[in-house]
Amino acid sequence: MVQQAARHRIGILGAGNIFGRYIEGLRTFPELEVVRVADVDEDRARRAADEYGIPAWGDGDQLLDDDSVEIVVNITPPQFHAKTVIAALEAGKHVYVEKPLAATVAEAREVLGAAAGTTALLGSAPDTFLGSAVQTARHAIDTGLIGEPVGATAFVRSSRAETWHPDPRAFYGPGGGPVLDMGPYYLAALVNCLGPVAQVAAATRVGAPVRTVTSPERVVDEVTVQVATHASATLTFASGVITTTLMSFDVWDTELPRIEIYGTAGTLALPNPNFFDGDVRLKRHDDIDWRVLTPVTELFGAVNSTEQHRRGLGVRDLARAIGGGPHRANAQFAFHVLDVLASFETSQQENRFVTLASTCERPAPRSAHREDLTP
Ligand SMILES: NC(=O)c1ccc[n+]([C@@H]2O[C@H](COP(=O)([O-])OP(=O)(O)OC[C@H]3O[C@@H](n4cnc5c(N)ncnc54)[C@H](O)[C@@H]3O)[C@@H](O)[C@H]2O)c1
């Protein structure tokens, strides 16, 4: 007899820009059911519930009081993550929170402390490292296709948020900037492939100090930048791999690759880690041409389509972990990613190499678990 997967009831906190993409992604998994949406702006929660046919809506307290909600998916802006995640954990909910885990390392530490005091699971974005691209790269490394990894490069270019996000202030405020907003996708991919980082040396600065907002439904016309918008860093991984990174909201056009990993026997080129899927290319030292590796998992959606913008794989990862499966997009992993990225600023301000106090396990590869090969 085929066993029915357990169903998990989800309440979403925050009905802003990325809300629709979560709904679309979560609805691809029959075991996940969105039963409530909450927002400080209750009108926004009501409109979201109407638009997507969600049975209940209200404020954050009503969400926490709803005993039928098992998992809270927190998609509030970064500066609200710590407070709202801790409240949800204390209410006995499992929580999946968007990146970064919290706006600062100190807040993220409080979040970890709160999670340690409960039996609830805490997961955090990004979840794109669970997609076929990064999983295929991980499999290539683990099976020795590039030999011993020696170095890597990672380049974050501007997401031009001021041209499409109605309220891009969070992109230029605490918890934002290229390092904390886009950096988590790149670092999660690298840590998943190469393990934890041991040391960071970085230089950071602000580029243009004021950004003109041109997005069609903008609520502000201008944003004053409060965080570094251009950063260059060298990361030494615990394994000895040395990674060169450039993370910038001032680079709008470039031909630099997204991520490349260099080994003693060859090079791996990864696609945009903000997406789940895409070609992973390999060129071993004795190859004449690059070749595209066969994905080791099913695809989450059509490559180069808006399906790649959906979110939800990380919530499914948490739901399966409730049932005893491996928890890959877990809080310890997200904390280490945040700690590495936050150390860019420490290195700049204190003019020194920063030795990381945190570490994490490389998450279990999806290719090792048959049930994890489907999207
Ligand atoms: N927008 C994107 O493209 C995108 C992509 C990936 C990840 N993210 C992440 O998703 C999160 C949300 O981003 P967004 O762009 O949707 O933000 P947003 O500003 O568009 O929406 C956030 C929503 O949260 C609500 N909110 C704020 N504080 C709250 C609280 N205490 N309780 C309940 N609701 C509260 C706001 O009213 C708003 O409706 C961020 O962590 C961001 O890093 C966004």
Side-chain angles (χ1 to χ4, degrees), residues 71-94:
I71 301 172
V72 170
V73 173
N74 185 326
I75 47 177
T76 62
Q79 68 268 35
F80 304 109
H81 286 178
K83 192 167 166 239
T84 50
V85 168
I86 291 171
L89 289 169
E90 286 175 349
K93 311 290 188 193
H94 301 290

Side-chain angles (χ1 to χ4, degrees), residues 41 88 116 161 297 311 316 343 375:
D41 180 344
T297 72
R311 293 294 183 258
R316 202 269 306 259
S343 71

Side-chain angles (χ1 to χ4, degrees), residues 100-374:
L101 180 59
T104 65
V105 171
E107 284 182 2
R109 212 170 267 126
E110 285 176 34
V111 169
L112 283 193
T118 73
T119 53
L121 292 183
L122 174 60
S124 181
D127 57 0
T128 46
F129 79 91
L130 300 172
S132 78
V134 178
Q135 293 296 320
T136 300
R138 164 76 180 267
H139 189 255
I141 291 168
D142 288 356
T143 53
L145 286 183
I146 61 165
E148 184 70 25
V150 174
T153 49
F155 298 116
V156 174
R157 59 191 75 173
S158 178
S159 49
R160 305 182 183 194
E162 52 272 51
T163 65
W164 56 267
H165 198 293
D167 187 0
R169 283 175 291 190
F171 288 80
Y172 293 99
V179 177
L180 291 189
D181 181 63
M182 291 304 292
Y185 298 104
Y186 291 70
L187 248 293
L190 288 168
V191 173
N192 180 64
C193 286
L194 301 169
V197 176
Q199 206 173 49
V200 172
T204 70
R205 58 162 289 180
V206 172
V210 177
R211 310 286 163 131
T212 304
V213 182
T214 57
S215 53
E217 291 173 19
R218 61 187 170 277
V219 296
V220 289
D221 292 323
E222 228 176 50
V223 177
T224 301
V225 171
Q226 298 175 52
V227 289
T229 55
H230 187 86
S232 175
T234 301
L235 316 181
T236 307
F237 283 68
S239 66
V241 171
I242 296 173
T243 296
T244 308
T245 63
L246 171 66
M247 300 191 178
S248 183
F249 279 174
D250 294 292
V251 175
W252 279 47
D253 298 293
T254 171
E255 291 181 350
L256 289 169
R258 303 285 184 164
I259 295 180
E260 288 182 344
I261 300 175
Y262 314 107
T264 51
T267 295
L268 269 180
L270 280 68
N272 185 348
N274 192 13
F275 298 156
F276 294 93
D277 307 328
D279 287 347
V280 175
R281 295 176 308 125
L282 168 72
K283 191 161 188 271
R284 289 170 56 85
H285 291 343
D286 43 8
D287 288 342
I288 293 170
D289 293 317
W290 291 87
R291 70 184 149 105
V292 175
L293 296 178
T294 305
V296 297
T297 72
E298 292 291 324
L299 304 185
F300 192 50
V303 179
N304 290 331
S305 75
T306 51
E307 291 176 62
Q308 294 302 316
H309 296 280
R310 291 177 313 189
R311 293 294 183 258
L313 210 45
V315 181
R316 202 269 306 259
D317 175 65
L318 174 89
R320 286 195 174 169
I322 293 169
H327 192 192
R328 299 181 175 93
N330 64 66
Q332 202 61 48
F333 179 80
F335 180 81
H336 180 63
V337 164
L338 173 63
D339 196 22
V340 172
L341 294 168
S343 71
F344 284 27
E345 213 38 55
T346 310
S347 177
Q348 162 68 25
Q349 283 170 12
E350 300 177 9
N351 195 22
R352 65 177 175 91
F353 279 85
V354 175
T355 299
L356 273 301
S358 68
T359 187
C360 67
E361 304 264 331
R362 279 200 317 164
R366 286 183 63 203
S367 57
H369 296 259
R370 179 178 285 278
E371 72 280 10
D372 279 328
L373 296 181
T374 54

Side-chain angles (χ1 to χ4, degrees), residues 56-71:
W57 55 271
D59 65 17
D61 288 339
Q62 288 168 307
L63 169 60
L64 299 188
D65 287 344
D66 184 342
D67 290 336
S68 78
V69 170
E70 182 188 14
I71 301 172

